[in-house]
């Protein structure tokens, strides 16, 4: 049974908060104060959705057949995130909170792929 639209607001907020936190991790690193604040918001919104009766899978719904299907676009944007994280671990400029040119390209790639993935997800939901 489909939940009422008003009940979908916490799920939408939780998804949005999680996506913003992921972007902050990619752009600023895990220890940055903005990233930490966005992670706290993501945890809070997910908790509120849980408290009113949403399941964890409501935040990240499974495929129509009930299984989590590998998604090429999703995998590419997660690979871009891992590449950026690996770069930042080994780059002295990025570790000192500066963004070097290779990191900027990785951030742009990650952002572009995430935008494409989220647009497709939004289109699927109608």
């Amino acid at each position: 049974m489909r939940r009422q639209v008003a009940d979908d607001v916490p799920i939408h907020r939780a998804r949005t908060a999680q996506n913003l936190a992921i972007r902050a991790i990619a752009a600023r690193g895990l220890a940055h104060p903005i990233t930490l604040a966005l992670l706290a918001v993501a945890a809070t919104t997910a908790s509120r959705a849980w408290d009113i009766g949403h399941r964890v899978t409501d935040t990240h719904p499974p495929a129509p057949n009930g299984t989590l299907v590998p998604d090429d676009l999703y995998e590419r944007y997660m690979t871009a995130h891992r590449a950026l994280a690996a770069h930042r671990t080994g780059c002295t400029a990025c570790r000192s909170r500066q963004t070097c040119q290779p990191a900027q390209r990785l951030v742009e790639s990650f952002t572009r792929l995430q935008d494409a993935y989220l647009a497709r997800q939004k289109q699927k939901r109608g």
Side-chain angles (χ1 to χ4, degrees):
M1 184 167 97
R2 173 104 169 105
R3 293 180 190 270
Q4 295 177 354
V5 176
D7 287 347
D8 289 342
V9 171
I11 290 301
H12 175 73
R13 287 181 181 161
R15 288 178 185 146
T16 300
Q18 288 174 357
N19 290 328
L20 290 172
I22 289 168
R23 281 192 170 185
I25 291 168
R28 302 175 191 283
L30 187 57
H32 194 278
I34 291 173
T35 301
L36 296 175
L38 289 170
L39 285 169
V41 170
T44 301
T45 56
S47 175
R48 287 182 182 154
W50 174 266
D51 288 344
I52 64 169
H54 288 285
R55 300 174 308 245
V56 172
T57 55
D58 292 339
T59 306
H60 301 287
N65 65 1
T67 63
L68 294 173
V69 177
D71 183 335
D72 181 55
L73 182 56
Y74 175 80
E75 290 301 321
R76 286 187 292 148
Y77 107 73
M78 286 291 100
T79 300
H81 176 261
R82 286 189 294 275
L84 177 61
H87 170 81
R88 287 206 165 136
T89 300
C91 178
T92 55
C94 289
R95 283 188 301 204
S96 64
R97 303 206 189 252
Q98 300 172 6
T99 302
C100 66
Q101 286 296 326
Q104 185 60 35
R105 287 191 297 272
L106 290 169
V107 167
E108 290 169 5
S109 174
F110 169 75
T111 302
R112 188 180 67 255
L113 288 165
Q114 187 182 43
D115 286 344
Y117 175 75
L118 294 175
R120 190 180 69 195
Q121 291 299 99
K122 186 176 181 179
Q123 182 181 21
K124 282 181 181 180
R125 288 187 192 99

